[in-house]
Each structure stands twice: as structure tokens, then as C-alpha cells.
Amino acid sequence: MNRAPYAADPSASRGREFPLEHAGTRGPRSEFQRDRDRIIHSMSFRRLRSKTQVFISPEGDHYRTRMTHSLEVAQIGRVIARALGLDEDLTEALCLAHDLGHPPFGHAGEDALEEAMQRHGGFDHNAQALRTVMRLESPYPGHEGLNLTWDLLEGLAKHNGPIAAPNWALAELDEAFPLDLGQWPSLEAQVAAVADDIAYDNHDIDDGLRAGFLTLEDLLELDFLADQWREVERRHPRESRDRLLRELVRDQIGLMVNDVITHTREQAHGLGSVDEVRDAGRQLGGFSPAMAQAERGLKRFMYERLYFHSDQVAAAQRARDVVARLFAAYSQDASLMPQEWQDRLPANDPHRSRVIADFIAGMSDRFAIERCAAIYGERPRGLTNV
């Protein structure tokens, strides 16, 4: 691969929070490859297979979960990174880790934890992802966390841009291992963020169509999707509608990916290092202005027709109730938690509530439902609508 001058370089990484034992004795992996492998091998990553992406606790085998979504984001991110000469391993690691802080039931679960934690610093899944990899997921002797590189943690913290007012989780972690939160991150992090947008913009359409929440007629209300559909029909005049709809999604992904590559290459032209990317003072990696406008329109459409569909809203409310009831139960009686979590539970707030939120945030949808049933004597119903 021809590495661009503005790419992150694993040999020039800013290091790890804790010294790495036996450095140089574990084969040919780069620092960023080691980060990626630590993420893939983590329990937090494995639990993503049973966490909500779009539909709450889906019963069908063909709907996306947080894990399949993260894998699709990583595939898109690597394609963009390779075309731009960026470090593919760092990009992939960021894509795979970006949702590790999501609680069960997606944004419904996050809303419940945010409400429960209002008096104790709040809850945010991005900050929780940092907390997960830096403190909670601790398989190695001698230190907390996965001990990932500064470059990975920086990108995970601010892949959506600089953070002027970090919440309690980020502020605490940044104090321990400063991440320059006021600067823009590497292009690898910026690419990971837009790869996430491309993946869920288009794959959520696919799932929405499969579940019957969206129809082709709905999609054709958006001019830029209607243009793509006419082109797909022209190329494949005798194919079934189902195949053409899948081709539409693939074409839309390709259109967005190519737009990001072209626009980002133009924005980064002339930069000589990753530090110059961070010092640029603006976003360099992302959509062109025209595509950004079209993508915002697509997001508005998806919120109106899919995410805020009445059936989705009802299921989300029931999911929020599960998380809220779990938080209340553990707050009132810590003996309901596993012994290892009881042992780490501080006596006083806000730290006590933070640990309870940590425990709940790590749950899969299935486990949260099972624990709620065990505590309250009745299995929650109506959590899925597909």
C-alpha cells in the first residue's frame, strides 16, 4: 500500500497508557493491528451480536445487530482508507470499536440510562465506549482496560469532531491519559465516522424494507434515490423487485463511498502529516456539500418513516422500561448483581450509580430481558415488532 503523508503511522504512535509487557516478542503485528485484534477478541465485542441496531431484540435471523453493523462499517471504512492511502488497520479498529458503549436496546436503552444518571453525570454511548476499552474490559494482568494506543483512543473519543465540554466519563479518562479533545482527530477517525453514516443510512433501509416498515414508493419520494432507482431499472429491466431493491442499496453505498473518497482527497491535498490533519481546524474527511445535503434529507426521511414509526416508538418505550426497572432494582438491592460486580460497587454516588450503569450497559438485549424477568417475576413482552 502507498501510505499517504497524512496517514497515521503505527511506528510513530503516541504509545499506550500502560507499558506493554514483552513488547516486540509477539510477532509481526503493527501497533494498530494489535489494537484491532484486542477489540475483536474482547467480550464487549462478542456481546454486540445480541444488541439492537434498528429493531428492538429482533427475532428474525436476517436483521442486523450491532455486531453485523460494526462489521459492515469496518468493510466500508477499509475501502475508503485504502483508496486514500490511510492506515487500514487503525480505520478498521475504530469502526469495530465505535459502538462498544451501546447499552441493550440501542438508543432506547441509552435514553433510559441517561435519565437514570441525570444526577450523576449522565450517560452517553460514545463516552461509554472509551470507558469500556480503558477501564471495564480488563483481561490483561497488571492494568485496567485493553490498553489500546493513544491514536485509537483519540479517534474513538472524538471521531465526530472536537469536544469542548467532555462529560464525566470522558473528563475522567482524559485526565488519566490526555487525548487532546479540543483538536480534530486523524483522518482514519474521520473516515470511520462517515463509514458509520454510510452503513446505517443504507443498511437500515434494507432492514426497513425487509420488515415492511418502508416501501419502494416511500423511497421514491427522495429525488436522489428515485434517480438511482431509475438507473437500476434501466440496467436490469427483467429482474425481480427484491433484487433491484438490494441493487439500489448497493449503488447508493457506492455513490456515497466514491463521493467521500473524492472530497476527502481534495480536502487533504498538500498536507504532509497526521499532525497537520489535527491542526487543520476543520473536518477534512466526509461528504461533499451536495452529498451532505442529500444525506441529511435521507436521515430526516428515516427518522420520520422508520425510527419514529409508531410500532418502533411503542417497542422502544417498553425497552426503556426494562432498563429503567433494572437500574432501580440494582440501586435498591445490590445483592441482585453478580458477586464480581458487588465487589467493585462503591458505597456512595456518583460512583456507585456509574458502576450500576456500567453493568447494565454491557448487557445484551437477551440478558437484560432475562434479568428483568428474574427480578420482577414476569418476562417483558412486546419488545420486538419484527
Side-chain angles (χ1 to χ4, degrees):
M1 182 193 86
N2 293 322
R3 183 180 297 274
Y6 43 74
D9 184 350
S11 66
S13 167
R14 296 198 195 181
R16 302 173 187 270
E17 184 177 6
F18 307 102
L20 194 62
E21 299 88 350
H22 310 296
T25 65
R26 296 186 179 177
R29 293 178 299 169
S30 76
E31 293 300 311
F32 299 153
Q33 287 172 330
R34 184 170 286 160
D35 282 349
R36 178 202 58 207
D37 296 348
R38 289 186 172 202
I39 290 162
I40 289 175
H41 296 154
S42 70
M43 288 191 294
S44 300
F45 183 76
R46 291 197 292 276
R47 286 196 296 266
L48 293 180
R49 70 181 179 142
S50 299
K51 289 193 175 189
T52 291
Q53 171 59 19
V54 180
F55 296 107
I56 304 291
S57 191
E59 294 176 353
D61 292 334
H62 298 153
Y63 295 101
R64 287 167 174 85
T65 65
R66 285 287 163 187
M67 176 177 281
T68 56
H69 164 70
S70 296
L71 293 172
E72 289 168 341
V73 175
Q75 179 266 328
I76 292 171
R78 285 197 74 113
V79 168
I80 297 172
R82 180 172 298 181
L84 293 171
L86 302 176
D87 190 282
E88 293 181 43
D89 300 311
L90 177 57
T91 305
E92 181 182 22
L94 287 163
C95 292
L96 293 171
H98 81 282
D99 271 351
L100 290 181
H102 261 291
F105 312 122
H107 292 287
E110 182 171 7
D111 290 343
L113 284 180
E114 167 63 21
E115 183 175 352
M117 290 290 292
Q118 271 187 347
R119 293 186 296 111
H120 309 298
F123 182 89
D124 170 71
H125 76 267
N126 285 322
Q128 190 69 17
L130 262 292
R131 188 165 167 82
T132 298
V133 300
M134 292 182 72
R135 295 294 178 262
L136 303 179
E137 183 85 31
S138 299
Y140 302 105
H143 60 73
E144 296 178 308
L146 297 179
N147 199 25
L148 304 175
T149 62
W150 182 94
D151 315 71
L152 186 287
L153 298 174
E154 177 229 19
L156 199 57
K158 51 186 179 174
H159 56 277
N160 290 322
I163 300 171
N167 64 10
W168 64 265
L170 274 184
E172 190 173 77
L173 297 169
D174 183 60
E175 183 177 1
F177 193 44
L179 298 172
D180 295 349
L181 295 179
Q183 284 187 310
W184 281 91
S186 66
L187 270 176
E188 284 81 0
Q190 295 181 44
V191 163
V194 75
D196 181 30
D197 287 337
I198 293 171
Y200 78 72
D201 281 344
N202 294 286
H203 293 145
D204 289 2
I205 288 177
D206 191 32
D207 278 359
L209 289 166
R210 185 183 305 279
F213 282 65
L214 299 175
T215 67
L216 173 61
E217 288 67 33
D218 293 331
L219 298 179
L220 296 184
E221 293 177 20
L222 296 173
D223 290 341
F224 76 107
L225 281 180
D227 291 342
Q228 291 297 308
W229 176 253
R230 286 190 288 270
E231 176 59 22
V232 168
E233 283 190 309
R234 185 192 65 77
R235 292 201 313 266
H236 308 284
R238 288 179 291 276
E239 285 288 358
S240 68
R241 175 174 282 200
D242 180 63
R243 289 191 179 186
L244 293 182
L245 284 169
R246 294 187 183 186
E247 184 72 0
L248 172 67
V249 171
R250 286 191 292 269
D251 275 10
Q252 191 63 27
I253 292 172
L255 188 69
M256 288 182 166
V257 165
N258 288 331
D259 178 87
V260 168
I261 292 169
T262 300
H263 181 69
T264 304
R265 184 178 286 129
E266 292 171 353
Q267 295 297 299
H269 179 72
L271 296 181
S273 71
V274 65
D275 288 335
E276 291 184 22
V277 172
R278 295 187 176 106
D279 292 337
R282 59 188 176 89
Q283 182 178 354
L284 302 175
F287 296 121
S288 67
M291 181 60 76
Q293 182 178 2
E295 196 263 349
R296 286 192 295 270
L298 176 57
K299 274 192 171 65
R300 287 193 297 271
F301 168 86
M302 293 295 284
Y303 273 95
E304 293 169 2
R305 303 299 178 89
L306 180 59
Y307 307 136
F308 289 161
H309 187 284
S310 59
D311 287 356
Q312 285 283 81
V313 171
Q317 181 55 54
R318 290 188 284 269
R320 281 195 295 271
D321 185 59
V322 169
V323 173
R325 295 172 77 192
L326 287 173
F327 191 93
Y330 295 136
S331 296
Q332 294 166 13
D333 184 0
S335 69
L336 295 171
M337 301 173 72
Q339 188 62 51
E340 63 179 292
W341 282 90
Q342 293 181 48
D343 292 343
R344 71 175 72 170
L345 199 63
N348 300 311
D349 275 327
H351 299 289
R352 183 180 180 85
S353 290
R354 289 177 188 175
V355 172
I356 293 171
D358 289 338
F359 177 52
I360 296 173
M363 292 180 178
S364 65
D365 297 3
R366 174 190 54 76
F367 187 69
I369 291 169
E370 289 176 357
R371 294 315 305 150
C372 193
I375 292 170
Y376 289 98
E378 182 179 5
R379 187 175 179 84
R381 300 182 183 279
L383 287 176
T384 186
N385 48 27
V386 293

